[in-house]
């Protein structure tokens, strides 16, 4: 009968048999043999059920930055981008300003801008946007900087996108796709998300691409049969059909949400409440101005398109007149046509308002360009007949010469600072003066039992004088025709 030796005895035997350098390997082999020989006697480290199911933190893997402000929006690896612009008209400074704005858009979207180049051409190249030779140079810049994306300062056709990508060997997007990405990040409300989704699908539809077998024909009619053996639709045709169906559904949803907005708008019209719309270039300080005038508490951030969803707040003029103040989506040069169409229901707040506060960034080097870009969109939504006040914001940071130039060109303008509050009182007085005044002037002695009528007179009309007498409240005011008809029975009879 043979007896098995213990692990300690085997270890002593190995110390004499193997040299020092091979002793570790031999011990390893012996431990493996021992584990096979005693399978079931030792099963490794044992854990309770809760410990086995729990997440175990692995120390030393985090790459999060110490200063979270170094990442603007997302704690992800930032895309490294190179900007490309084609200078077709204007001065070199105009082209550089346009590329600088594209860099700000890229940073807002969460990208790291490495370099930017501009090419002087009469018109963009039909094949590669910048020409085949310059595209080869761009590939060298991309390789040198280690960029993984190229952003073009313009809207590229599907063919231009494909051919430029084939040359530079990295992803290529255009200005429209970049703005759509920013809108997708910032949309919060259901209506805003639907509008952005519709604009994205409108942009994607002509740019769908098929790869390899995705372009092959589908089999017609299952297993085949009479009249079903012809070629079916391709995969890309199927995708386009599905996108069109989704776009139709999205338009119906937006139309339903537009109905709710229209009901609220009609209610304000019925109550004869004047409306003021804040329009302007992105990051000009519209939300800051809304907060300063009404205390709305809207998000304020030094970023392009920080707020997309329109906000309507109640406000009051220094004379006590009520009105609504609506903050609208910001505009930008070459705003994509898809976005103008998708956000048309939101921009109708501008067209239906009684007064537009056109906010412009006074600290911008060329604020006249911002004014022109916004007015172009205002024309598109049919709001050219609405009175306008040009509000030059950030006056505390602006160059005095730029302020003087703007106020000399824009006769109906005022300089304010939403941050410090400078000029806000003058702006409120100007709004009070520019809002439409009620058309009927009337004097009425309202009994004290009709206090609701007096309250309506204060809310909907413009009270010129008020006196409390023994018979009731004597009011001299301007009101609209409907309220004037209700006050007519209380007009004092003329003295004989």
């Amino acid at each position: 009968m043979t007896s098995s030796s213990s692990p300690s005895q085997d270890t002593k035997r190995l110390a004499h048999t193997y040299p020092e350098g091979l002793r570790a390997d031999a011990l390893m082999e012996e431990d493996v043999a021992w584990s096979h020989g005693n399978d079931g006697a030792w099963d490794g480290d044992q854990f309770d059920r809760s410990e086995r199911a729990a997440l175990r933190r692995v120390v030393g893997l985090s790459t999060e930055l110490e200063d979270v402000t170094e990442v603007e929006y997302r704690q992800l690896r930032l895309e490294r981008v190179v900007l490309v612009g084609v200078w077709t008209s204007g001065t070199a400074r105009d082209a550089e300003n346009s590329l600088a704005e594209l860099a700000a858009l890229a940073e807002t979207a969460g990208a790291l801008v490495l370099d930017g180049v501009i090419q002087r051409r009469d018109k963009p190249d039909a094949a590669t946007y910048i020409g085949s030779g310059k595209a080869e140079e761009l590939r060298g810049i991309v390789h040198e900087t280690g960029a993984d994306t190229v952003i073009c300062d313009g809207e590229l056709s599907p063919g231009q996108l494909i051919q430029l990508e084939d040359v530079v060997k990295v992803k290529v997007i255009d200005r429209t796709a970049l703005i759509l990405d920013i809108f997708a990040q910032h949309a919060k409300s259901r209506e805003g998300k639907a509008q952005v989704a519709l604009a994205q699908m409108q942009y994607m539809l002509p740019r769908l691409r098929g790869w390899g077998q995705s372009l092959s024909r589908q089999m017609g009619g299952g297993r085949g049969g009479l009249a079903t053996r012809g070629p079916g639709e391709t995969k890309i045709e199927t995708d386009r059909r599905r996108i069109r169906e989704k776009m139709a559904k999205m338009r119906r949803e937006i139309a339903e949400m537009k109905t709710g907005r229209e009901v609220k708008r009609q209610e304000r019209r019925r109550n004869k409440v004047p409306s003021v719309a804040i329009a302007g270039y992105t990051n000009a300080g519209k939300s800051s101005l809304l907060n300063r005038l009404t205390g709305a508490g809207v998000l304020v951030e030094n970023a392009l398109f920080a707020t997309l969803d329109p906000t309507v707040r109640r406000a009051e003029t220094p004379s006590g007149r009520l009105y609504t103040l609506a903050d609208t989506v910001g505009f930008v040069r070459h705003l994509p046509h898809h976005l103008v169409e998708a956000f048309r229901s939101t921009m109708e707040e501008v067209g239906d308002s009684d007064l537009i506060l056109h906010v412009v960034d006074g600290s911008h080097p060329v604020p006249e360009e911002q004014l022109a870009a916004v007015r172009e969109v205002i024309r598109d939504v049919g709001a050219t007949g609405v009175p306008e006040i040009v509000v030059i914001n950030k006056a505390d940071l602006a160059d005095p010469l730029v302020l003087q130039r703007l106020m000399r060109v824009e006769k109906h303008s005022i300089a304010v600072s939403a941050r410090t509050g400078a000029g806000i009182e003058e702006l409120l007085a100007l709004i009070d003066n520019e809002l439409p005044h009620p058309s009927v002037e009337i004097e009425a002695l309202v009994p004290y039992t009709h206090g609701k009528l007096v309250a309506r007179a204060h809310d909907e009309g413009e009270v010129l004088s008020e006196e409390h007498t023994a018979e009731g409240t004597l009011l001299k005011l301007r009101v609209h025709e409907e309220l004037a008809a209700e006050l007519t029975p209380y007009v004092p009879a003329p003295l004989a």
Side-chain angles (χ1 to χ4, degrees), residues 304-315:
L304 306 185
F305 301 113
T307 51
L308 294 183
D309 304 316
T311 305
V312 180
R313 291 292 182 267
R314 179 170 169 167

PDB file of all heavy atoms in Angstrom, residues 304-315:
ATOM      1  N   LEU A 304     -22.981  79.104 -27.004  1.00  0.00           N
ATOM      2  CA  LEU A 304     -23.902  79.307 -28.107  1.00  0.00           C
ATOM      3  C   LEU A 304     -25.096  78.369 -27.969  1.00  0.00           C
ATOM      4  O   LEU A 304     -24.929  77.189 -27.665  1.00  0.00           O
ATOM      5  CB  LEU A 304     -23.191  79.070 -29.437  1.00  0.00           C
ATOM      6  CG  LEU A 304     -21.908  79.867 -29.674  1.00  0.00           C
ATOM      7  CD1 LEU A 304     -21.391  79.629 -31.083  1.00  0.00           C
ATOM      8  CD2 LEU A 304     -22.127  81.350 -29.456  1.00  0.00           C
ATOM      9  N   PHE A 305     -26.290  78.894 -28.192  1.00  0.00           N
ATOM     10  CA  PHE A 305     -27.535  78.129 -28.131  1.00  0.00           C
ATOM     11  C   PHE A 305     -27.692  77.418 -26.786  1.00  0.00           C
ATOM     12  O   PHE A 305     -28.057  76.251 -26.723  1.00  0.00           O
ATOM     13  CB  PHE A 305     -27.600  77.094 -29.268  1.00  0.00           C
ATOM     14  CG  PHE A 305     -27.516  77.694 -30.642  1.00  0.00           C
ATOM     15  CD1 PHE A 305     -26.412  77.455 -31.452  1.00  0.00           C
ATOM     16  CD2 PHE A 305     -28.515  78.505 -31.129  1.00  0.00           C
ATOM     17  CE1 PHE A 305     -26.320  78.008 -32.715  1.00  0.00           C
ATOM     18  CE2 PHE A 305     -28.430  79.054 -32.388  1.00  0.00           C
ATOM     19  CZ  PHE A 305     -27.334  78.810 -33.187  1.00  0.00           C
ATOM     20  N   ALA A 306     -27.388  78.136 -25.693  1.00  0.00           N
ATOM     21  CA  ALA A 306     -27.538  77.521 -24.371  1.00  0.00           C
ATOM     22  C   ALA A 306     -29.000  77.243 -24.066  1.00  0.00           C
ATOM     23  O   ALA A 306     -29.326  76.274 -23.383  1.00  0.00           O
ATOM     24  CB  ALA A 306     -26.934  78.422 -23.289  1.00  0.00           C
ATOM     25  N   THR A 307     -29.918  78.081 -24.551  1.00  0.00           N
ATOM     26  CA  THR A 307     -31.351  77.854 -24.336  1.00  0.00           C
ATOM     27  C   THR A 307     -32.041  77.813 -25.695  1.00  0.00           C
ATOM     28  O   THR A 307     -31.845  78.683 -26.528  1.00  0.00           O
ATOM     29  CB  THR A 307     -31.971  78.970 -23.479  1.00  0.00           C
ATOM     30  OG1 THR A 307     -31.629  80.251 -24.039  1.00  0.00           O
ATOM     31  CG2 THR A 307     -31.455  78.913 -22.061  1.00  0.00           C
ATOM     32  N   LEU A 308     -32.855  76.780 -25.897  1.00  0.00           N
ATOM     33  CA  LEU A 308     -33.596  76.616 -27.150  1.00  0.00           C
ATOM     34  C   LEU A 308     -35.095  76.770 -26.949  1.00  0.00           C
ATOM     35  O   LEU A 308     -35.792  77.293 -27.806  1.00  0.00           O
ATOM     36  CB  LEU A 308     -33.333  75.233 -27.753  1.00  0.00           C
ATOM     37  CG  LEU A 308     -31.921  74.942 -28.233  1.00  0.00           C
ATOM     38  CD1 LEU A 308     -31.879  73.562 -28.847  1.00  0.00           C
ATOM     39  CD2 LEU A 308     -31.456  75.966 -29.230  1.00  0.00           C
ATOM     40  N   ASP A 309     -35.602  76.293 -25.828  1.00  0.00           N
ATOM     41  CA  ASP A 309     -37.036  76.274 -25.618  1.00  0.00           C
ATOM     42  C   ASP A 309     -37.546  77.674 -25.293  1.00  0.00           C
ATOM     43  O   ASP A 309     -37.007  78.346 -24.415  1.00  0.00           O
ATOM     44  CB  ASP A 309     -37.395  75.324 -24.472  1.00  0.00           C
ATOM     45  CG  ASP A 309     -36.863  73.928 -24.743  1.00  0.00           C
ATOM     46  OD1 ASP A 309     -37.001  73.464 -25.893  1.00  0.00           O
ATOM     47  OD2 ASP A 309     -36.309  73.312 -23.816  1.00  0.00           O
ATOM     48  N   PRO A 310     -38.585  78.145 -25.994  1.00  0.00           N
ATOM     49  CA  PRO A 310     -39.089  79.497 -25.746  1.00  0.00           C
ATOM     50  C   PRO A 310     -39.689  79.623 -24.349  1.00  0.00           C
ATOM     51  O   PRO A 310     -40.322  78.694 -23.839  1.00  0.00           O
ATOM     52  CB  PRO A 310     -40.154  79.688 -26.837  1.00  0.00           C
ATOM     53  CG  PRO A 310     -40.567  78.309 -27.200  1.00  0.00           C
ATOM     54  CD  PRO A 310     -39.356  77.439 -27.027  1.00  0.00           C
ATOM     55  N   THR A 311     -39.483  80.748 -23.734  1.00  0.00           N
ATOM     56  CA  THR A 311     -39.994  81.020 -22.400  1.00  0.00           C
ATOM     57  C   THR A 311     -40.846  82.281 -22.451  1.00  0.00           C
ATOM     58  O   THR A 311     -40.403  83.310 -22.961  1.00  0.00           O
ATOM     59  CB  THR A 311     -38.842  81.216 -21.399  1.00  0.00           C
ATOM     60  OG1 THR A 311     -37.992  80.073 -21.439  1.00  0.00           O
ATOM     61  CG2 THR A 311     -39.364  81.408 -19.997  1.00  0.00           C
ATOM     62  N   VAL A 312     -42.084  82.203 -21.953  1.00  0.00           N
ATOM     63  CA  VAL A 312     -42.984  83.355 -21.921  1.00  0.00           C
ATOM     64  C   VAL A 312     -43.237  83.697 -20.456  1.00  0.00           C
ATOM     65  O   VAL A 312     -43.638  82.840 -19.667  1.00  0.00           O
ATOM     66  CB  VAL A 312     -44.312  83.054 -22.650  1.00  0.00           C
ATOM     67  CG1 VAL A 312     -45.225  84.279 -22.603  1.00  0.00           C
ATOM     68  CG2 VAL A 312     -44.050  82.647 -24.087  1.00  0.00           C
ATOM     69  N   ARG A 313     -42.994  84.953 -20.093  1.00  0.00           N
ATOM     70  CA  ARG A 313     -43.167  85.408 -18.724  1.00  0.00           C
ATOM     71  C   ARG A 313     -44.013  86.674 -18.695  1.00  0.00           C
ATOM     72  O   ARG A 313     -44.032  87.450 -19.633  1.00  0.00           O
ATOM     73  CB  ARG A 313     -41.815  85.681 -18.056  1.00  0.00           C
ATOM     74  CG  ARG A 313     -40.993  84.437 -17.783  1.00  0.00           C
ATOM     75  CD  ARG A 313     -41.639  83.574 -16.710  1.00  0.00           C
ATOM     76  NE  ARG A 313     -40.832  82.397 -16.400  1.00  0.00           N
ATOM     77  CZ  ARG A 313     -40.983  81.222 -16.974  1.00  0.00           C
ATOM     78  NH1 ARG A 313     -41.883  81.071 -17.915  1.00  0.00           N
ATOM     79  NH2 ARG A 313     -40.238  80.189 -16.616  1.00  0.00           N
ATOM     80  N   ARG A 314     -44.692  86.871 -17.590  1.00  0.00           N
ATOM     81  CA  ARG A 314     -45.518  88.056 -17.394  1.00  0.00           C
ATOM     82  C   ARG A 314     -44.662  89.174 -16.836  1.00  0.00           C
ATOM     83  O   ARG A 314     -43.825  88.954 -15.961  1.00  0.00           O
ATOM     84  CB  ARG A 314     -46.655  87.702 -16.429  1.00  0.00           C
ATOM     85  CG  ARG A 314     -47.593  88.836 -16.099  1.00  0.00           C
ATOM     86  CD  ARG A 314     -48.787  88.278 -15.338  1.00  0.00           C
ATOM     87  NE  ARG A 314     -49.610  89.341 -14.766  1.00  0.00           N
ATOM     88  CZ  ARG A 314     -50.816  89.149 -14.273  1.00  0.00           C
ATOM     89  NH1 ARG A 314     -51.331  87.941 -14.276  1.00  0.00           N
ATOM     90  NH2 ARG A 314     -51.513  90.143 -13.777  1.00  0.00           N
ATOM     91  N   ALA A 315     -44.867  90.379 -17.325  1.00  0.00           N
ATOM     92  CA  ALA A 315     -44.093  91.531 -16.875  1.00  0.00           C
ATOM     93  C   ALA A 315     -45.021  92.732 -16.747  1.00  0.00           C
ATOM     94  O   ALA A 315     -46.183  92.698 -17.168  1.00  0.00           O
ATOM     95  CB  ALA A 315     -42.953  91.832 -17.848  1.00  0.00           C
TER      96      ALA A 315
END
